[in-house]
Amino acid sequence: CRPGPVAIHLHRAEAACTSVMGPLHVLSAAMCVSQAFTPSTIRVCTGKSCRKDGGGGVAKRFSQIAEATASDCAIEECGCLGACGKGPNVMVAHQRREKEKLYCDVFKPATAAAIFEIEFDTEVPEGLVRTQAAAMKAERLLTQDKLAEASDMYASALAETHASVSLRSECEKGLQAVRERLARIGAHQS
């Protein structure tokens, strides 16, 4: 396995998960869902705790990485993986390994990319990771009503050449939301 440049971020998240909960690499697939894994599957917990910690966004980031790297792994959302409070949590399984592997605290795009690189021996473009981070920041700025900054951040993300189609669409929708809020503000002021 030859992980790409973002793989170093993974080790911090994995160490945090292991040190607090003990080794979590060998959890039963039954803890996630009773369905069998496909040969390459990433399951992202969207249970109550992980959803609050951003589990839905993590699933979206993994899907964007799979799309951008033309990987054929399945990205699925699932219920609790058994490490509540340490999430968002991700379970990875594929044919070359007998047991599933659990990763905790998978929030940052760099962590998701590192997991992908290590597990699937695929280099994730750094530009994609930067674009995902910019889109996350823009979304946060939009929720804080910092519209000019959100607009700039979405525009920056759209200018990146490594963005997947779904990531570009996400950024375009975010930019449209900024424009609509600005228009509403302008209408109220006149």
Side-chain angles (χ1 to χ4, degrees):
C1 174
R2 44 183 178 74
V6 295
I8 193 161
H9 295 283
L10 167 67
H11 302 295
R12 278 183 254 149
E14 186 174 13
C17 183
T18 302
S19 66
V20 175
M21 299 291 291
L24 292 173
H25 304 317
V26 186
L27 289 182
S28 166
M31 289 180 71
C32 184
V33 179
S34 59
Q35 302 170 344
F37 281 108
T38 59
S40 297
T41 305
I42 297 175
R43 292 212 174 159
V44 179
C45 178
T46 54
K48 186 177 180 179
S49 180
C50 285
R51 186 176 51 249
K52 186 181 96 183
D53 291 337
V58 172
K60 184 170 46 175
R61 283 189 282 288
F62 274 111
S63 294
Q64 292 164 347
I65 291 169
E67 177 187 344
T69 59
S71 298
D72 62 351
C73 70
I75 312 298
E76 301 173 356
E77 294 182 359
C78 70
C80 184
L81 292 171
C84 299
K86 306 293 176 233
N89 301 311
V90 174
M91 179 77 73
V92 180
H94 42 80
Q95 281 183 326
R96 72 175 190 221
R97 185 174 55 234
E98 187 176 313
K99 299 186 175 165
E100 299 81 31
K101 188 169 184 178
L102 178 69
Y103 293 92
C104 300
D105 194 30
V106 183
F107 181 72
K108 295 181 180 180
T111 306
I115 290 169
F116 211 89
E117 289 177 347
I118 289 169
E119 291 291 338
F120 301 105
D121 197 26
T122 301
E123 189 166 336
V124 177
E126 287 185 56
L128 174 64
V129 177
R130 282 192 309 271
T131 305
Q132 287 180 322
M136 278 179 63
K137 185 173 183 181
E139 187 176 329
R140 189 171 51 249
L141 290 167
L142 181 59
T143 62
Q144 296 169 350
D145 285 327
K146 297 179 179 178
L147 302 180
E149 294 173 60
S151 178
D152 291 345
M153 194 59 62
Y154 279 125
S156 170
L158 283 168
E160 182 64 55
T161 59
H162 293 290
S164 64
V165 172
S166 61
L167 181 54
R168 291 188 67 74
S169 175
E170 175 187 338
C171 292
E172 288 167 354
K173 287 177 185 174
L175 196 53
Q176 182 61 34
V178 169
R179 290 180 183 138
E180 288 171 4
R181 281 196 188 175
L182 287 171
R184 276 182 284 186
I185 290 169
H188 289 298
Q189 292 178 350
S190 28

